[in-house]
């Protein structure tokens, strides 16, 4: 096998942007301001403008974006928060971190998004919020979920960690709930050179509270008004993200073009290809196919030198970490079936057409 086809290759993106990123980093070093300050302020304004929200608050990670949003909204011990069973564990960890109970809801088999028809029966007197996860780069049903939330007086928080630039109807993910939570983990559609996160909101009070919470609960220097934490976006990361943000739409367009190529070439196979809700603009953080022969297909692709990934092999309720919730096998059948059947093919904007062809040929040969 001549060259390996990785599932993702971050070096390709940085090769293009290397001199601009070096320049941005050099400016931060010259300024001597590494924590918060002008660079972080500027990036927050640019993100708010891009997403169409009034406020953006840079934090230390995507996990902290969700955790601090819950804390700022006063959600904690004794409260319940609804979230999908098939998400990255950070969504559930953020709820547990504030002392609230994660209450899981099954997903739809087509979009893998939270099944809004199951929300009503999951609500109790203690339910305070729903975390809608825009999994794989496609918005959850942001018509039905907010409708269910308003029937029960719940807050909607978006986990948009996989959905930078994704839309639901005419609005951006991150602008659809009370708070939008982003991660800049390096593999995300907009990724830093390390950890980072951001909360978006059009609620000025919530934004002000988040600014206090991320910085030791300080309202001003040495005036500590809340039991906050240290979770700030680094100026170095903000400077790198400022270089990358103008590229995001073109990168997402290339991801969609790659998806079209996969779809065309794989139509002859029995794979179930991604279902796109016509109301959503998918940004293909992952291109996820499903088949009951997932493990055999994955082994075949590995043998052909093709990298793949599984997002995620264990639904939240079956992880060792969340055994205390008391769920059992069979409680969320669609999430469980997805965990056995999903496979993420190579996907990143710089993925060469030749690699896409090799992936598709290898899959066609398998079937
Ligand atoms: C990546 C991710 C997170 C967590 O982001 P970090 O920056 O790694 O803390 C949360 N939710 C989802 C759906 C993610 O994909």
């Amino acid at each position: 096998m001549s060259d390996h086809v990785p599932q993702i290759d971050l070096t390709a993106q940085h090769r293009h942007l290397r001199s601009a990123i070096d320049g941005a980093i050099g400016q931060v070093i010259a300024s001597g301001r590494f924590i918060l300050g002008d660079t972080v302020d500027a990036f927050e304004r640019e993100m708010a403008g891009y997403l169409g929200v009034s406020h953006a608050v840079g934090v230390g990670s995507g996990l902290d974006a969700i955790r601090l949003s819950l804390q700022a909204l006063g959600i904690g011990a004794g409260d319940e928060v609804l979230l999908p069973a098939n998400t990255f564990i950070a969504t559930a960890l953020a709820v547990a971190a504030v002392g609230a109970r994660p209450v899981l809801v099954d997903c739809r088999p087509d979009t893998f998004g939270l099944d809004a028809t199951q929300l009503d029966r999951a609500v109790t007197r203690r339910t305070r919020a729903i975390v809608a996860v825009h999994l794989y780069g496609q918005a959850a049903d942001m018509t039905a979920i907010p409708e269910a939330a308003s029937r029960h007086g719940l807050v909607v928080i978006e986990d948009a960690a996989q959905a930078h630039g994704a839309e639901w109807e005419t609005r951006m993910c991150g602008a659809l709930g009370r708070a939008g939570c982003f991660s800049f983990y390096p593999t995300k559609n907009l990724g830093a050179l390390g950890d980072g996160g951001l909360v978006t909101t059009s609620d000025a009070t919530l934004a002000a509270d988040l600014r206090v919470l991320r910085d030791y609960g300080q309202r001003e220097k040495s005036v500590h008004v809340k039991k906050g934490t240290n979770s700030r976006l680094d100026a170095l990361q903000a400077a790198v993200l400022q270089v990358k943000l103008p590229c995001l739409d073109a990168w997402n367009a290339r991801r969609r073009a790659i998806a079209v190529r996969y779809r065309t070439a794989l139509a002859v196979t029995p794979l179930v290809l991604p279902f796109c809700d016509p109301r959503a603009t998918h940004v293909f953080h992952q291109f996820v196919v499903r088949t009951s022969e997932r493990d055999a297909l994955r082994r075949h692709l590995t043998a052909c030198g093709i990298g793949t990934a599984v997002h995620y092999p264990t639904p939240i309720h079956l992880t060792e970490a969340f055994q205390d919730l008391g769920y059992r096998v069979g409680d969320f059948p669609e999430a469980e079936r997805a965990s056995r059947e999903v496979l993420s093919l190579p996907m990143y904007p710089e993925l060469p057409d030749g690699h896409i062809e090799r992936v598709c040929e290898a899959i066609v040969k398998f079937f």
Side-chain angles (χ1 to χ4, degrees):
M1 201 46 60
S2 51
D3 60 329
H4 180 66
V5 176
Q7 206 264 338
I8 181 167
D9 175 7
L10 293 177
T11 63
Q13 180 175 104
H14 296 128
R15 215 173 296 131
H16 282 316
L17 295 176
R18 185 61 198 264
S19 64
I21 288 175
D22 284 350
I25 290 174
Q27 280 187 3
V28 174
I29 294 173
S31 79
R33 291 272 341 238
F34 301 106
I35 303 292
L36 301 178
D38 293 345
T39 309
V40 174
D41 290 348
F43 174 66
E44 288 176 343
R45 279 195 302 275
E46 288 161 21
M47 278 299 281
Y50 174 76
L51 295 166
V53 295
S54 321
H55 311 277
V57 181
V59 296
S61 69
L63 169 67
D64 275 355
I66 306 169
R67 179 173 70 92
L68 296 177
S69 296
L70 291 164
Q71 190 182 347
L73 291 164
I75 295 169
D79 295 330
E80 294 178 357
V81 176
L82 305 179
L83 62 125
N86 62 321
T87 179
F88 181 55
I89 195 158
T91 321
L93 287 175
V95 173
V98 299
R101 180 184 169 83
V103 173
L104 304 178
V105 178
D106 211 353
C107 63
R108 293 168 52 124
D110 53 359
T111 60
F112 302 104
L114 189 153
D115 182 353
T117 66
Q118 301 197 32
L119 284 168
D120 286 334
R121 82 178 86 122
V123 172
T124 72
R125 265 186 317 109
R126 295 173 180 274
T127 312
R128 297 284 312 279
I130 304 172
V131 184
V133 182
H134 306 313
L135 200 69
Y136 307 146
Q138 176 163 236
D141 186 336
M142 291 305 287
T143 303
I145 293 171
E147 276 170 13
S150 61
R151 277 198 296 280
H152 300 284
L154 309 176
V155 173
V156 177
I157 295 171
E158 300 177 72
D159 179 341
Q162 302 186 0
H164 316 69
E167 292 166 295
W168 180 257
E169 295 183 325
T170 56
R171 284 186 297 153
M172 290 277 192
C173 289
L176 302 158
R178 180 80 76 86
C181 302
F182 290 88
S183 163
F184 302 120
Y185 184 78
T187 62
K188 308 292 185 182
N189 289 36
L190 181 61
L193 304 183
D195 279 311
L198 184 100
V199 183
T200 52
T201 185
S202 289
D203 174 338
T205 308
L206 176 59
D209 287 346
L210 286 162
R211 290 182 194 287
V212 168
L213 284 174
R214 72 173 171 181
D215 193 22
Y216 296 119
Q218 289 188 120
R219 192 173 50 215
E220 54 193 272
K221 186 81 188 151
S222 298
V223 181
H224 299 270
V225 295
K226 287 180 196 292
K227 293 190 188 72
T229 190
N230 175 2
S231 184
R232 301 168 297 211
L233 182 64
D234 284 347
L236 282 169
Q237 300 302 349
V240 171
L241 291 164
Q242 277 189 296
V243 172
K244 290 191 176 190
L245 178 58
C247 306
L248 178 60
D249 285 340
W251 286 335
N252 284 340
R254 172 63 185 158
R255 287 173 182 271
R256 280 192 290 272
I258 293 168
V260 169
R261 283 178 176 265
Y262 274 140
R263 211 181 268 294
T264 307
L266 297 175
V268 297
T269 71
L271 286 179
V272 178
L273 301 175
F275 172 80
C276 294
D277 189 307
R279 295 167 292 179
T281 308
H282 202 318
V283 292
F284 290 98
H285 175 60
Q286 299 295 348
F287 188 88
V288 176
V289 297
R290 68 189 298 167
T291 166
S292 56
E293 297 174 79
R294 191 267 314 274
D295 293 336
L297 174 60
R298 190 169 194 211
R299 279 194 298 274
H300 167 76
L301 292 174
T302 305
C304 296
I306 293 166
T308 56
V310 173
H311 300 101
Y312 296 93
T314 312
I316 302 298
H317 65 295
L318 301 182
T319 61
E320 193 178 333
F322 282 108
Q323 283 316 291
D324 60 336
L325 296 177
Y327 292 114
R328 282 190 303 253
V329 174
D331 282 347
F332 304 102
E334 290 301 340
E336 291 171 28
R337 191 161 69 88
S339 73
R340 292 189 300 268
E341 296 186 353
V342 293
L343 187 66
S344 303
L345 301 184
M347 174 56 87
Y348 57 97
E350 301 77 15
L351 181 65
D353 288 346
H355 283 198
I356 303 171
E357 283 158 24
R358 270 185 55 195
V359 174
C360 295
E361 281 163 18
I363 294 174
V364 169
K365 205 186 236 170
F366 173 82
F367 286 108

